[in-house]
Amino acid sequence: MQGAVFLLVLLDAMSGREALRLIHLPATSNVAENSPPETSVHKFSVNLSASLAPVTPGFPLIINSSPLTDAFKVNWLSGTDFEVVTSGKEKLDFEMEPNIFELQIYVKDDVGVTDLQILTVQVTDVNEPPEFQGNLAKGLDLYIVEGANPGFVYQVEAFDPEDTNRSIPLSYFLISPSVNFRLSASGTLFSTTEFDFEAGHRSFYLTAGVRDSQGLQASTTLHVNIVNINDEVPRFTSPARVYSIPEELDAGTIVANITAEDPDDKGSTGFLLYSITTANSYFVINQLTGTIQVAHRLDRDAGQLRQNPTISLEVLVKDRPSGGQENRMQITFIVEDINDNAPTCTKFTFSIMVPERAAKGTSLLDLNKFCSDDDSKAPNNRFNFSSPSGVGVSGRFSQDPAGSGKIVLTGDLDYENTSNLAADNTYAVIIQVQDVAPPYHKNNIYIYILTEPENEFPLVFDSPSYVFDVSELRPARTRVGQVHATDKDLPPSPVVYSISAGGASFQSPNIFWINPRTGELQLVTKADYETTPVYILRIQATSSEDTSSVTVTVNILEENDEKPICTPNSYFLAIPVGLRVGTNIQNFKLTCTDLDSSPRSFRYSIGSGNVNSHFTFSPSAGSNVTSLLLATRFDYASGLDKIWDYKLLVHITDGNLLSGRRKAKARVETGTVTLSISIIPDPTTIATTTSRPQIIRQVLRKNVYSSSAWYVPFVITLGSMLLLGLLVFLFVQLAKAIHRHCPCKAGKHQKTLVKKGEMKNTKRGVLVETIQMNSVFDGEAIDPVTGAVYEFNSKTGARKWKDPSTQMPRWQEPSPHGAAPSRPVAGEGAGPPGSTGEQDGLSGKAQVEDANPSSRNQDGKLGTPKSRNTALTSRASPKLHPGK
């Protein structure tokens, strides 16, 4: 595409034609303010390029404007001719809006060639007519009260759009002159006559005009309304003053229609307002129509209306809610009684209990004491009663006299009589109470007459006494027996059973429970024949009328339910391995008892643990005392016996006296005793081996530790720990003493510093043996001998001379008499904390020599003062003592 564009441009250049451009632009044009849409502003054309490519649809267009506006657009005329017109989107106002616009018009053809030119548009001022503002521009309604004096009505105002400062006066006038109104040149509207609404002067239409200095004008309509004045009293037109109405009308029922008229508005009642001034709750009036309606129930038979059925009201009519003319009228309502109440009773359901042996003619109920009629006048308030009806009622109940409501008994009510049982001895009597006047309101009265049974027969048990047997093995809730009592009186009364006496034991206050409804006797817990073999109970039966008691004997049947109990229950024995067979082991005896078995019923046997049957009891049966004997000897040497500790489970049964047939059916109880027997080996016994079985046998002696002796290992452990700590402490003290008193050996590289015989003439100096170490030195001090500064580690005690570039060594001057310098006092200098004179790595162990040529350097040769100075100032650290 770019290549094609380039080729077209090249052809255009070769042909000598001009490129795409806008003709007649840039340019300046004028447009009048308030111009309508599509008003022509400027016409121009497009000169196509050499390629003759058409203008792209939608172009040319206004891409920008200064100031920004949408008031202009570009329209196509024909071919390559175009026109800038107003768009109508914004109003061109010379006085209120910008009046010069610069429009950027942009054109583009199909090959992408473009051009952009500026069109300057100037908005010209146009003289505009005056304008009325707001509601006045649309027409205005004005109001004048009738009878008002002529004078000022309204001030008409308009403005000239050309006069933004409103300094040029406008001229006002009435386009159609009126004899009743006048409009001054300044816009003031005056009335010239006094208006009378009833005379027909009700409204006027005026056309007001305004004119500017150049003769342009505008107009608006003024509608002047004459307001009527209320000056006449309304008059009632409805003739009736007294109204008779029945009671119990529905709410909202119209009972009267009050009408009136206003002379100020003849023939119309739409502006009158009605109200009732008398306080009442029965009636309301429609304030617009005057109709009176029922608002509350009108009950002639209750409240004030029962005494005085007349209601007087005062009706007020007025022609406005307040401040107008009004009139009043008295009306009366008489409420008439109707038969609207059915006879009513304080109770409509009665329940009467009549003894079954009541005599005929007995008065049962008088309904007149309970019933009445609320109607206020006769015959509406009179009533009577219908004849009794219901199943089984005929021949048993009636009214005396008829219709009086007095119910009497006329038949038999014996409860046990079979004919009465057919009616279930309950009679439902229905009687109607009804008006004697139309519409004969009625209500049903329900009378339930129940026959009250009398106690004619006693409560009697089926048996004069009861005897029951129960095994002492039976569990709780076992049925023992059942008692039963009856009463021939009807209806049958429920009987409640209870234990009034007996049934206690040593273990429980009562081991029996009786079902209060069925009389079934049950066990609360197991009975024990050995404690109480017979129980005598007193059972009481209670009904709603009677009480009766009976004696119940419960025999507890003996059963073998007790296990043999032996003493001791568990025991520990220790016997030598060589104990003689038949020996009573440590004179051990078992003594057994059983609450429900004979001493001769015991049989003894050893269950688990009696390996190789070494132990037995004698006697094994028929006695309650038996001894433990060794039945067979122990043979550990041959390997027959391997157990040294025996745990025997002894079984004691109580079925020794039972024969085979009885024993299969009888209950046999078993007791148990646990015996622990430890075999003590012979002290001379040794482990022997034989080649024949190729088995090594050892006789081991064990010291059995008792768990109760817990303090023994605790004391041993604590003593061991204390002894170990003491030994460690003594070893540390010994090492310190050896290190403090034993001299250190000199290194093999050390040599004698002075020759023999030269000590007297030598000057003392300092030679330090150093070992290179990598330590962190966090302190400084001055050596008291040399005065040099050294660094030290406060934790390990390591030291080194400080860098000679940062300090100068201070040599100690010899005394004038050649005496040796004095030694430092303990605590002098700035050595590390805790160091002593003997352990000081610099002054305590330094070899002091005379500073003369005989001094040796680090290689063992004699050194000069210069070399000595170098050695002293070299970076070194003191040699650490062993163990530091």
Side-chain angles (χ1 to χ4, degrees), residues 509-835:
N510 199 339
I511 68 169
F512 298 100
W513 173 80
I514 190 168
N515 190 314
R517 292 182 297 175
T518 64
E520 183 181 75
L521 190 65
Q522 298 179 4
L523 286 175
V524 175
T525 182
K526 291 178 64 175
D528 187 6
Y529 174 85
E530 289 74 19
T531 303
T532 305
V534 178
Y535 292 90
I536 298 177
L537 310 178
R538 193 68 180 170
I539 305 298
Q540 178 176 292
T542 303
S543 65
S544 59
E545 298 171 342
D546 291 333
T547 298
S548 181
S549 298
V550 69
T551 300
V552 177
T553 301
V554 180
N555 298 315
I556 307 302
L557 302 180
E558 182 182 10
E559 300 287 350
N560 184 18
D561 61 335
E562 300 289 341
K563 295 181 180 180
I565 300 175
C566 300
T567 56
N569 188 39
S570 62
Y571 202 73
F572 174 77
L573 301 170
I575 61 175
V577 68
L579 186 67
R580 184 163 51 89
V581 175
T583 302
N584 181 195
I585 298 175
Q586 294 186 0
N587 293 322
F588 177 80
K589 296 181 182 297
L590 276 180
T591 302
C592 302
T593 59
D594 193 336
L595 295 178
D596 54 9
S597 298
S598 169
R600 295 184 298 109
S601 64
F602 298 118
R603 181 179 297 276
Y604 306 92
S605 62
I606 300 176
S608 61
N610 192 12
V611 180
N612 294 331
S613 302
H614 288 298
F615 307 98
T616 187
F617 281 94
S618 178
S620 61
S623 175
N624 66 326
V625 179
T626 184
S627 300
L628 179 64
L629 304 180
L630 182 64
T632 61
R633 68 180 184 85
F634 298 101
D635 187 0
Y636 292 97
S638 63
L640 179 62
D641 290 319
K642 299 179 181 180
I643 300 175
W644 293 89
D645 294 303
Y646 290 86
K647 189 170 184 179
L648 307 182
L649 183 62
V650 181
H651 299 284
I652 302 96
T653 60
D654 56 4
N656 182 53
L657 300 179
L658 298 175
S659 62
R661 179 177 299 175
R662 292 178 55 198
K663 190 173 183 179
K665 298 180 179 180
R667 179 185 179 90
V668 177
E669 296 290 338
T670 302
T672 59
V673 173
T674 302
L675 299 179
S676 298
I677 302 176
S678 178
I679 310 303
I680 302 175
D682 190 348
T684 60
T685 304
I686 61 173
T688 61
T689 60
T690 59
S691 58
R692 183 173 55 186
Q694 295 297 321
I695 298 175
I696 298 177
R697 296 183 177 88
Q698 293 182 348
V699 178
L700 301 178
R701 297 179 181 178
K702 294 183 179 180
N703 183 15
V704 179
Y705 167 71
S706 175
S707 60
S708 63
W710 57 270
Y711 56 87
V712 175
F714 174 74
V715 173
I716 293 175
T717 303
L718 181 60
S720 301
M721 294 176 64
L722 293 176
L723 180 60
L724 179 61
L726 180 60
L727 291 176
V728 171
F729 175 74
L730 293 176
F731 177 76
V732 171
Q733 295 298 324
L734 179 62
K736 289 183 178 181
I738 293 174
H739 176 71
R740 190 162 50 245
H741 295 92
C742 293
C744 298
K745 295 182 179 181
K748 61 182 180 178
H749 62 280
Q750 280 187 303
K751 296 184 180 180
T752 304
L753 298 178
V754 296
K755 292 182 179 180
K756 187 176 182 181
E758 296 180 355
M759 180 64 71
K760 295 181 179 180
N761 299 325
T762 60
K763 293 184 179 179
R764 298 190 177 223
V766 179
L767 179 63
V768 181
E769 179 179 300
T770 62
I771 299 176
Q772 187 70 28
M773 298 182 64
N774 293 326
S775 300
V776 177
F777 300 95
D778 54 0
E780 291 183 359
I782 301 175
D783 184 39
V785 177
T786 64
V789 180
Y790 63 91
E791 298 177 343
F792 64 89
N793 186 296
S794 60
K795 294 183 178 180
T796 64
R799 300 176 178 87
K800 75 171 182 177
W801 293 115
K802 193 171 183 181
D803 191 350
S805 63
T806 60
Q807 59 92 24
M808 293 297 293
R810 293 177 292 175
W811 299 96
Q812 185 176 359
E813 297 294 335
S815 65
H817 303 288
S822 61
R823 295 184 179 275
V825 180
E828 290 181 357
S835 65

Side-chain angles (χ1 to χ4, degrees), residues 35-46:
S35 294
E38 302 298 329
T39 299
S40 176
V41 178
H42 182 75
K43 295 181 180 181
F44 64 93
S45 60
V46 178

Side-chain angles (χ1 to χ4, degrees), residues 70 192 841:
D70 288 335
T192 58

Side-chain angles (χ1 to χ4, degrees), residues 433-450:
V433 54
Q434 59 187 8
D435 284 331
V436 297
Y440 305 106
H441 297 293
K442 62 182 66 176
N443 278 317
N444 289 336
I445 300 176
Y446 301 92
I447 305 173
Y448 297 94
I449 301 176
L450 287 75

